[in-house]
Each structure stands twice: as structure tokens, then as C-alpha cells.
Amino acid sequence: MKFMKLGTKADTFYTEQATRTLISEIAADLVIQINDITYLLHKFPLLPKCGLLQRLCYDTSDSESVSLELHDIPGGEDAFELCAKFCYGIAINISAHNFVSALCAAKFLRMNDSIEKGNLVGKLESFFNSCILEGWKDSIATLQTTATLPEWSENLGIVRKCIDSIIEKILTPPPQVKWSYTYTRPGYTKKQHHSVPKDWWTEDVSDLDIDLFRCIIMAIRSTYVLPPQLIGEALHVYACRWLPGLTKLKSSGSSASQTEESNKEKNRKILETIVSMIPADRGSVSVGFLFRLLSISIHLGVSSVTKTELIRRASLQFEEATVSDLLYPSKSSSDQNYYDTELVLAVLETFLKLWKRMSPGAVDNSYFLRSIRNVGKLIDSYLQVVARDDNMQVSKFVSLAETVPSIAREDHDDLYQAINIYLKVHTDLSKADKKRLCGILDCQRLSPEVRAHAVKNELLPLRTVVQLLYFEQDKGSKATTSHKLPKPHEILLGAKHRPATTNEEFNGEEIRERDHHKTKRSDGKLLALDLEKKMVIKGDIEETRSEKARGIKDASSSSGKVDLDPKKIIRRTRSKSEHGVKK
């Protein structure tokens, strides 16, 4: 950064308690009090350069000591001391960090060229125009300091001139950028003759206050010179600078709690301002960035307008998201889930509304069909992750899965995988919850490999396994896969003693064909008894032991073998049950 040195004398100011004075043989005749500091100075070096002091000391004699109070001087005692040292000829350094306070104080003291030629105001303005405004980081640093004296800086034109200088440099083509800038992105190494990145300016501008940042971004947008994606990148950098990962605020009555609440209010303003500046062009910011803002907005309690806008923008780009973009911890005090599924559900529902509105003939439109299926695959992959959450409720899991329309899934393989993971993690599920969970699965839309795994999965309810068997039997000769399924009676007899390997997560392994043996008459009795017990599980009428034995005899006397067709067994059992009731 550039600086200007004025004066040549050594600094002879010293402090004694709350008094600042000058080492001199001449007694002080000008006492100036600013806040809690008292300055013991001299008239002869100060009055010729300060029009304000001339007016205040106009009615006093040269030998008379004068006391003045200048509590309202802009910049306080530090800015006044710079001006006083300039009058004494003591060396001072002016840079972008103290320029604003020095200029405002000099203007307040009326240190203009009209009072004395070569005065401080003229020198400061010359330094401002020739050095600060010509530099990149100098303009930004000066603009930052205007926050301490906003009204003075605005009235003196410092803010406007700095913003104009910054915008002019941002709009400069990257090959023409010759000044120093900050760029610390991962993977970027600044080398000699290295090409200047298009977003070279974003990190330096992100140091500004949100109001000044907004002025610059809106001015750049109005020129239509830079692409929307570059504006979006600047917003992303600013959000990462000022909106880091936030945690839940702890309720406390201490001053620390008040500080956190103040920071929360500040961050809320930053987030709402950033959202209002996102270009309308699709893809100007990533969908992951939108989800991050949406997650933080729930914690900060932003306005419903901002939250709705974020959900709408995220839904427009939902198909571009990855699972990692959706994984945000729940910040709701009433929600015990680790992941915020409500956030994903809100975006999904909005996406479906927009999708139905924009694609009335979606089935015949390959683009819209591909879009909805990308989202369907995304949700099923997301379900596989949240299924590992111990506190994930069945109702929320099912609600999210059912929201995806049927057309969005080419098959139910990924959905089955998510359900299988959920059943493995939540081993204490009730029968009703298992039934509700597996009720969202369409057995006819499973691939042969997945069905082969499902019929051997001891975690699934028996109702679901029987449905799989019925479907497989209906297919009959249409089956084209080499994977063979166990016979129905083998599944039913082995329901309580399924091999441990079936509890492993599905990996597409082939099912080995089991050997089939002829059933003896005595084995047939045990088989039929077990089959009828399974029918009771499915809600059929319970039969007595004698009726079972008679049914076994009738079934085995004709051929010596038991008919193991599940459909015939169910029909025969039901007819016998009705006969027993009538009897």
C-alpha cells in the first residue's frame, strides 16, 4: 500500500496521565480538551493553519491562555493529533488506513489552502486522487474505514469516488490487470506471467461491509458486462467469508448471549442481502450453495420471503444436486433427527409443482423425463444415507419416499436398498412399522438380482416375501435371468431359520440353486401344518389340529405328494376354514 510522509521533525509529544503535551521551552497557551484527553499546545503553530481555531480565539489576546473543547471533532483525539503534528512540522505518515479520519478532521478544523497555502486538506486530497484511487487495495481499505465516519465520508464524496474506482478496476479485462490482488483458492499458485483468473477481485471485495458490498455488486450488475456466474461466485465468496458453519445458540441470560443474538441479527441481514442479489439467471450460483444458505436461514430465522425464494431457486436446479449437497444437520430443537429431511422435502415438493407446471407432456418429453428421474435417483440415494440415522422416524422416511412420483423411478432397486439399510439399523421396529415401510416397495419393479436377495432377506415381513413369490410364479416362463429362486415351501419352512448371509447388505450375488428332494408322507404332515400357520399370519381363519390332519390326508392321498403351489394352498386352506366354520 502507498503512503504519504509529511513533516521532518521528530515526534516530541508525550503523555502524562490523561494529558498530552509537547516538549518545549515555551509555555503552553492553548488548552484543547477532546473526550478524556487534554492537550497542552501553543497558538503560534496552530492558529495560522486552522481556520476554526482562529475564529474561536478571535477575541483573545496573544498572551492570554485559551481553553477549548472539541469533543465533536471527527476521528477523535487520534485524528486531531495528526493535524496538530502537521502544524508543528512533526513527521506523520498518511495511508489508506488513516486517510479518512485525517481528512475529516482537517476539514473540521478548516485547514484549507484558503487559510494558508500548502495546507493539510490540499495535500490529503492530492494523495487521495493520485495514489489511493489509482490503487486497488488502497481504494478498498479506504472504503472500509469510511464505516467509522459514514456521514462525513458520504458528504465529502469519499465513498462514491472509492466505489467508482473499484468498479472501474473490476470491469477491466483480466489480461490488463497489473495491480496486486488477493487470491487464495485451493489449487491456485500465482506464478510470473500466470493468467489472471476472471474472479480475481472477489476475495478483496468480500472484506467490505455488506452495504458497501451490495453497492458494488448492484452497480456491476447494472452494466451487464460480467456474466451472472461471476456475480454468483462473488456472492459465494462473500457468504463463505461472513457466514461460516453455525451452531445452535445456547439459551442464556448472560452478556455473551446478547452478543450471540447481535451476531445472529447481523448474519441474518447478510444472508437476506445476498439472496436479494442472486442473479435471476439459472445456474448463476450452484444448487449446493443454495442449500447451504437455506440450511443457515432456518437457524437465523430469516423472513418467510427469503426462505421461499431460496426453496424456489433450489428447486429449479434440484436435478443438478448431489447427495452431499442435501446432507445438513437438523437445527430444529423439536427434531431429533440428525439430518434435516424437512428441508429436502420442501425443495422436492416445490420441484414437483414446477415440474408439473412446466412439463404437461412429461412422459413424451425426454428432457423432462430425464430431469424427474435424476431427482428420483437422487432422493433414493439420499434415503440410503438418512436410513442410517438411529433417530430417523418411519413416518418421515416413508413421507419422503412416497413424495417421489412413480414416473421418477425406472425401478425400485435403490429404494429397496434404502429400506434394507433402514431395517438393519432399526432392529426394534414394530410389525405395523415394517408393514408401512415395505408398503412403499413395488415388488414387480425390482430387478431379478434384487428379488433374489429380497426373498431370502429375513428382515422383510413375510407378507412382502410372499408377494415376491407370487409375482415370480406369475412370470413363469417369462423369466430370462439365470438366477433361480428357492421354491415357495422352502421359503415358508425356512422363515425362522434363514441363513445369516441374507442379513448382509445386497451386493448382487447370485443365488445358488437348491437341491429338491421328494417329500415323504410324514414330512408332508409337518409341511402342511407349517403352511397353515403362515396363512394365519396373513389373516386367514385358524383351523383346528384335527382339521389340519384331515386336510393333510386328503391332500396327500391322491398323489402321495403335497401340492406346494402357494396359490392353491391358500385357496384350499381358506375353503377348509370356511367348511370348518359352517360345520
Side-chain angles (χ1 to χ4, degrees), residues 485-487 489-490 513-518:
L485 299 177
K487 291 185 177 181
H489 71 280
E490 293 177 346
E513 183 178 2
R514 298 184 180 181
D515 296 331
H516 304 288
H517 301 282
K518 295 184 179 180

Side-chain angles (χ1 to χ4, degrees), residues 86-104:
F86 172 78
C87 294
Y88 278 102
I90 296 174
I92 59 174
N93 291 324
I94 303 296
S95 68
H97 297 290
N98 62 2
F99 163 78
V100 173
S101 58
L103 179 62
C104 293

Side-chain angles (χ1 to χ4, degrees), residues 383-397:
L383 288 172
Q384 293 176 21
V385 176
V386 301
R388 294 177 169 85
D389 182 5
D390 293 334
N391 297 321
M392 176 57 60
Q393 301 172 8
V394 174
S395 58
K396 290 192 174 183
F397 186 92

Side-chain angles (χ1 to χ4, degrees), residues 547 575-583:
E547 289 173 332
S575 64
K576 292 174 183 177
S577 300
E578 293 173 359
H579 175 71
V581 172
K582 291 179 181 179
K583 188 173 180 179

Side-chain angles (χ1 to χ4, degrees), residues 42-108:
H42 307 86
K43 293 180 181 177
F44 70 89
L46 291 176
L47 266 59
K49 297 180 183 300
C50 302
L52 177 64
L53 298 182
Q54 288 180 16
R55 183 176 66 81
L56 294 176
C57 299
Y58 179 76
D59 295 333
T60 61
S61 62
D62 294 340
S63 59
E64 183 181 353
S65 179
V66 179
S67 296
L68 303 173
E69 293 184 0
L70 300 178
H71 300 301
D72 55 345
I73 184 172
E77 56 270 19
D78 292 335
F80 171 77
E81 192 165 317
L82 280 175
C83 296
K85 288 179 177 180
F86 172 78
C87 294
Y88 278 102
I90 296 174
I92 59 174
N93 291 324
I94 303 296
S95 68
H97 297 290
N98 62 2
F99 163 78
V100 173
S101 58
L103 179 62
C104 293
K107 284 283 188 177
F108 177 84

Side-chain angles (χ1 to χ4, degrees), residues 102-288:
L103 179 62
C104 293
K107 284 283 188 177
F108 177 84
L109 295 172
R110 299 178 190 172
M111 300 177 70
N112 304 315
D113 285 355
S114 59
I115 301 298
E116 184 177 275
K117 190 174 181 180
N119 215 339
L120 182 56
V121 170
K123 292 183 179 296
L124 291 175
E125 290 179 341
S126 176
F127 174 69
F128 179 60
N129 294 323
S130 61
C131 294
I132 291 181
L133 294 181
E134 291 299 318
W136 166 248
K137 290 189 176 181
D138 299 83
S139 299
I140 293 177
T142 301
L143 189 58
Q144 281 181 289
T145 60
T146 59
T148 58
L149 297 168
E151 293 184 5
W152 276 88
S153 301
E154 193 70 38
N155 294 335
L156 294 177
I158 300 175
V159 174
R160 180 183 56 79
K161 290 179 180 179
C162 286
I163 290 178
D164 290 345
S165 174
I166 292 171
I167 294 174
E168 181 183 359
K169 291 178 176 61
I170 291 176
L171 298 179
T172 302
Q176 299 179 20
V177 174
K178 305 299 180 184
W179 47 84
S180 175
Y181 57 85
T182 305
Y183 199 81
T184 59
R185 310 299 172 81
Y188 177 83
T189 54
K190 193 171 184 179
K191 302 177 182 178
Q192 189 176 10
H193 307 301
H194 195 288
S195 60
V196 177
K198 294 181 179 179
D199 57 343
W200 62 268
W201 51 274
T202 54
E203 287 189 41
D204 289 325
V205 173
S206 67
D207 290 334
L208 295 172
D209 176 80
I210 186 62
D211 293 325
L212 295 173
F213 177 76
R214 184 180 186 279
C215 289
I216 291 175
I217 294 299
M218 298 308 291
I220 293 173
R221 284 184 56 180
S222 64
T223 62
Y224 297 99
V225 174
L226 300 183
Q229 290 75 14
L230 198 51
I231 302 296
E233 179 62 18
L235 299 178
H236 180 264
V237 171
Y238 194 90
C240 292
R241 168 74 171 79
W242 295 99
L243 296 175
L246 301 174
T247 57
K248 296 181 181 179
L249 295 177
K250 298 180 180 179
S251 57
S252 171
S254 63
S255 58
S257 178
Q258 295 178 357
T259 302
E260 289 177 347
E261 188 62 32
S262 176
N263 291 334
K264 187 176 180 180
E265 177 63 31
K266 178 182 178 181
N267 290 335
R268 183 187 300 121
K269 178 183 177 182
I270 291 175
L271 191 145
E272 292 180 346
T273 305
I274 288 176
V275 174
S276 68
M277 290 189 291
I278 297 177
D281 306 72
R282 176 188 170 118
S284 56
V285 294
S286 68
V287 64

Side-chain angles (χ1 to χ4, degrees), residues 341-524:
T341 57
E342 297 293 337
L343 182 152
V344 177
L345 182 60
V347 177
L348 175 60
E349 290 175 343
T350 305
F351 168 80
L352 293 175
K353 291 178 182 177
L354 295 174
W355 182 80
K356 291 176 182 178
R357 188 183 310 160
M358 297 170 61
S359 56
V363 178
D364 301 325
N365 190 312
S366 59
Y367 171 77
F368 288 113
L369 184 60
R370 184 169 61 254
S371 173
I372 190 69
R373 286 188 171 172
N374 286 341
V375 170
K377 186 172 288 292
L378 172 67
I379 294 298
D380 287 347
S381 299
Y382 175 74
L383 288 172
Q384 293 176 21
V385 176
V386 301
R388 294 177 169 85
D389 182 5
D390 293 334
N391 297 321
M392 176 57 60
Q393 301 172 8
V394 174
S395 58
K396 290 192 174 183
F397 186 92
V398 172
S399 177
L400 186 57
E402 287 181 335
T403 305
V404 179
S406 177
I407 192 177
R409 291 187 174 104
E410 294 185 75
D411 55 55
H412 278 212
D413 288 1
D414 291 338
L415 182 59
Y416 168 78
Q417 175 76 339
I419 293 174
N420 187 41
I421 294 172
Y422 190 94
L423 290 172
K424 288 176 58 179
V425 174
H426 304 80
T427 56
D428 56 346
L429 280 183
S430 64
K431 291 183 179 179
D433 285 341
K434 283 189 175 182
K435 178 181 177 182
R436 183 180 181 188
L437 180 65
C438 296
I440 61 179
L441 191 65
D442 188 348
C443 298
Q444 300 186 37
R445 299 181 66 181
L446 296 177
S447 65
E449 294 82 1
V450 176
R451 283 199 305 272
H453 180 273
V455 295
K456 295 171 58 180
N457 192 344
E458 61 183 4
L459 299 175
L460 295 178
L462 186 61
R463 180 187 300 270
T464 303
V465 176
V466 172
Q467 288 176 354
L468 286 164
L469 291 172
Y470 287 164
F471 170 71
E472 192 62 26
Q473 191 173 47
D474 286 341
K475 288 185 63 176
S477 60
K478 297 180 180 179
T480 58
T481 178
S482 61
H483 300 278
K484 297 183 179 180
L485 299 177
K487 291 185 177 181
H489 71 280
E490 293 177 346
I491 296 299
L492 295 176
L493 284 175
K496 295 183 179 180
H497 307 285
R498 293 176 185 149
T501 55
T502 58
N503 195 25
E504 298 178 356
E505 191 171 333
F506 173 63
N507 58 5
E509 60 192 308
E510 295 186 355
I511 303 175
R512 298 180 179 178
E513 183 178 2
R514 298 184 180 181
D515 296 331
H516 304 288
H517 301 282
K518 295 184 179 180
T519 307
K520 296 182 180 180
R521 186 178 301 271
S522 58
D523 294 336

Side-chain angles (χ1 to χ4, degrees), residues 246 248 295 298 326-332 335 337-341 343:
L246 301 174
K248 296 181 181 179
S295 176
I298 296 173
L326 313 183
L327 298 178
Y328 287 97
S330 176
K331 295 182 172 63
S332 174
D335 191 357
N337 295 344
Y338 180 77
Y339 295 109
D340 192 347
T341 57
L343 182 152

